[in-house]
Amino acid sequence: MFFSSPDGTFPICRDAAGIAGNIFAFGLFVSPIPTFKRIIRNQTTENFSGLPYVYALLNCLICTWYGTPLISYDNMLVMTVNSIGAVFQMTYIIIFIVHTDREKKIRMLGFLLAVFGLLAIIVAGSLLIADRGARWIFVGLLCCASLISMFASPLFIINLVIRTKSVEYMPFYLSLSTFLMSTSFFLYGIFNFDPFIYAPNGIGTILGILQLALYFHYKTKSVEESGEPLVVSQA
């Protein structure tokens, strides 16, 4: 079933949620900057992996295509946030390629070509679908699957936190930004009557709550066990 364009009942709430989602997403996009400052300073990628940025680029490109008027209605804010995200990810990938060794350069360039090749197939394939509703469902399912896989990636960190009983590898502000962005776009999808937006972001919201709950649980526990006051580093 094709969901029709919203009737204008919640345009202000929808746009407010979308703008908030864009702002919180920007916080996520800039979070790798310290890592890449280190790469540029040391002129090497050390043991860092470039694959997360390749996958993030693919996710942003698919979601940007979904947000265009050719695919869905009134999703301009989805298109803007993901197009900005694609620019950030592309910048990170270029920096990574410039400063990594020859073997990784070739591998990363191969992944990059694969990303744009896959995007070309998705764009061309969806445009061949004459029925607007079927096209929306096809690209929407791809967008939804991509977002869910992105939101599921912190499950490894959650498992690590539970096993080690330490939040060392789960930065608070990154978890908070993920939660706020997911919640904003969950509300945006609800107000825009778009299941391909609210379903994956609803999952992201639940995972965000779980991350924050684990953070406060183990952070508080570690402070109680040490008997020392919590000191927040400003470094």
Side-chain angles (χ1 to χ4, degrees):
M1 178 180 177
F2 180 66
F3 283 65
S4 61
S5 178
D7 60 5
T9 306
F10 305 117
I12 296 177
C13 294
R14 178 199 65 197
D15 292 343
I19 292 170
N22 274 249
I23 293 171
F24 295 133
F26 185 80
L28 289 177
F29 295 150
V30 300
S31 62
I33 287 179
T35 297
F36 284 90
K37 280 185 176 180
R38 174 175 168 176
I39 288 174
I40 294 171
R41 183 176 63 251
N42 296 336
Q43 295 294 299
T44 176
T45 56
E46 302 175 27
N47 292 320
F48 291 114
S49 172
L51 286 180
Y53 307 102
V54 173
Y55 188 74
L57 174 64
L58 178 61
N59 175 71
C60 287
L61 291 173
I62 292 174
C63 293
T64 297
W65 177 236
Y66 176 75
T68 63
L70 289 171
I71 304 299
S72 60
Y73 292 105
D74 294 325
N75 269 327
M76 187 63 68
L77 289 172
V78 171
M79 186 176 71
T80 56
V81 69
N82 283 285
S83 58
I84 293 171
V87 171
F88 271 97
Q89 304 310 321
M90 193 67 207
T91 302
Y92 295 144
I93 291 169
I94 291 172
I95 294 173
F96 189 93
I97 291 174
V98 168
H99 294 90
T100 195
D101 58 62
R102 186 173 181 275
E103 183 181 344
K104 287 183 179 179
K105 283 184 198 291
I106 296 172
R107 192 182 308 144
M108 287 293 290
L109 286 170
F111 286 136
L112 206 53
L113 288 174
V115 165
F116 286 110
L118 182 57
L119 178 68
I121 292 172
I122 292 172
V123 170
S126 57
L127 290 177
L128 289 174
I129 302 173
D131 180 72
R132 176 70 180 269
R135 188 192 310 159
W136 174 73
I137 292 173
F138 171 68
V139 181
L141 287 172
L142 292 175
C143 177
C144 188
S146 179
L147 285 169
I148 289 175
S149 63
M150 286 290 290
F151 287 131
S153 59
L155 288 174
F156 170 77
I157 300 298
I158 290 174
N159 180 55
L160 184 64
V161 169
I162 294 174
R163 284 194 296 105
T164 62
K165 295 180 171 53
S166 169
V167 294
E168 179 183 359
Y169 300 103
M170 191 171 69
F172 171 72
Y173 289 110
L174 188 61
S175 299
L176 180 62
S177 295
T178 301
F179 165 70
L180 293 173
M181 183 198 70
S182 300
T183 303
S184 297
F185 277 107
F186 170 70
L187 295 173
Y188 174 88
I190 291 290
F191 291 129
N192 211 30
F193 306 99
D194 192 331
F196 297 126
I197 298 297
Y198 66 68
N201 282 285
I203 294 173
T205 300
I206 293 171
L207 289 174
I209 293 172
L210 178 59
Q211 288 183 70
L212 291 174
L214 285 173
Y215 182 90
F216 286 115
H217 173 72
Y218 287 112
K219 192 69 175 177
T220 303
K221 189 174 181 180
S222 64
V223 172
E224 289 175 351
E225 289 176 351
S226 67
E228 298 174 356
L230 176 62
V231 178
V232 179
S233 172
Q234 299 298 324

